[in-house]
Amino acid sequence: MGEKHKSTKPPHVLLFPFPSQGHINPITQFGKRLNSKGVKTTLVTTIYISNKTLSNNTSIPIEPISDGFDDGGHQSADSSESYVNKFREVGSKSLADLIRKLNSEGNHIDAIVYDSFITWALDVAMEFGINGGCFFTQSCAVNNIYYHVHKGLLSIPPNATVSLPGLPNLQPSETPSFVHNPGPYPGWAHGLFNQFSNIHQARWVFTNTFYKLEEEVIEWMRKMWPLKVVGPTVPSMYLDKRLEEDNNYGISVLKPNHTECMKWLNDKPKGSVVYLSFGSGGKLGCEQMEEVAWGLNESNVDFLWVVRETEKEKLPKEFVAKGLVVGWCNQVEVLAHESIGCFVTHCGFNSTLETLSLGVPIVGMPQYSDQTTNAKCLEDIWDVGVRVKADEKGLVRRKNLALCIKEIMEREQGVVARRNANKWRDLAIQAVDEGGSSEKDINEFVFHLKA
Ligand code: UDP
């Protein structure tokens, strides 16, 4: 049966990201690359996310499964722990049911590429004799730190400077928040440290980064696992342009104010606009929101600020924005616009890769999770901007924000940051273009699937 199947049908890969926009984007984008190389893919996501999805402009069909929270997703769980436990319990069963269903329809599965957060997907895959590939959506630097915690080689919280293979020395506050301040979300923290529990059984380990960006730590990881470095998973039209019309991620759970953003940006001079976004799930507190709002108005720059509808009530009552505030945008298209001069970012890893791939300098305003480490890398290693300092309450004050924006928009530091960002942009393009390091790793995977 195997022989017949291989000769007549393209290989079929299930893609299974953690159910949130920041995880769906990179894995879907990887799926598009696989499609372009003759591999069929199916995206598995939760019923909740599938129902919320406004559009799927990709050619990747979606198969919904239950995570036990069909009506409200993980936001409706009592705690991160209860979500993680229920997702494992209900998700394992529903993923197995889906595999049975696809098999019974003659829709044979050759591999499951699963999010590194969802270790149990590999157990399910193996029950069916399917190869699993673990996909890390975070940087290798961050994976390295979590790996050392997992192995008991790094204490939580660290009590001194952290020194790990392939990484510069890190202050405890520059490690991910789950390491230096593990309190608030024990379920997520445990999930992140646990990503490596069955990794030795994965047939492939994918990571959304590129060789030149994290060379040393990639070399260190390659010695342990069958690593495939496949990033940056930014839509192709901003990089190698080989996937025609691929100019956005294609699966969105929030509606972008696309026309309004583009119209507004088109009227602005080159490099004059500050773009701000704090990601798809992160929330600023009311006081922080107020500081950002007044900091922007006081700094007298044109700004485009993404404030999700659910966050808008935190804007100060008397605030009349001197820029444009939108509920959601197509971020890559915004970053690619020539009017953009600087990105004030929470430093989520997709945003990090996007800003590097589009050559936009940053002001880093990390909030939690891996963002603190990404911000450190952006400022000190990749040299594409500055981190804005928070006060003793952990809040970024308006004056500091305005000063950092000025530094990037008006001073020599901004010129250097943009020059470096453009250098990373060239390297990102080379990585995914024909013959590049990521292209080579993707081709090797496809070759295994087709062999
Ligand atoms: N994003 C977007 N529109 C917005 C804000 C964000 O399309 O208005 C996308 C952004 O391009 C990125 C993702 O949402 O791909 C956010 O991922 P990231 O890892 O940066 O942050 P997270 O949401 O996981 O905190």
Side-chain angles (χ1 to χ4, degrees), residues 305-325:
W305 182 12
V306 177
V307 181
R308 298 189 311 275
E309 288 308 323
T310 47
E311 295 292 288
K312 281 198 173 148
E313 63 185 26
K314 293 185 199 161
L315 285 168
K317 296 268 170 304
E318 60 286 19
F319 178 67
V320 181
K322 290 186 185 166
L324 179 65
V325 178

Side-chain angles (χ1 to χ4, degrees), residues 11-17 27 30-31 34 39-44 60-63 65 94-96 98-100 102-103 107-115 121 124-125 130-133 206 445 449:
H12 180 203
V13 173
L14 287 193
L15 306 168
F16 188 19
I27 295 188
F30 178 54
L34 296 178
V39 175
K40 178 176 150 183
T41 55
T42 302
L43 185 79
V44 182
I60 305 175
I62 296 179
E63 285 284 353
I65 64 168
S94 35
L95 178 61
L98 173 65
I99 295 172
R100 275 187 216 102
L102 292 172
N103 277 339
N107 212 344
H108 181 92
I109 299 157
D110 295 278
I112 299 185
V113 172
Y114 62 94
D115 199 302
V124 176
I130 300 171
N131 280 320
F206 300 100
F445 173 53
L449 289 173

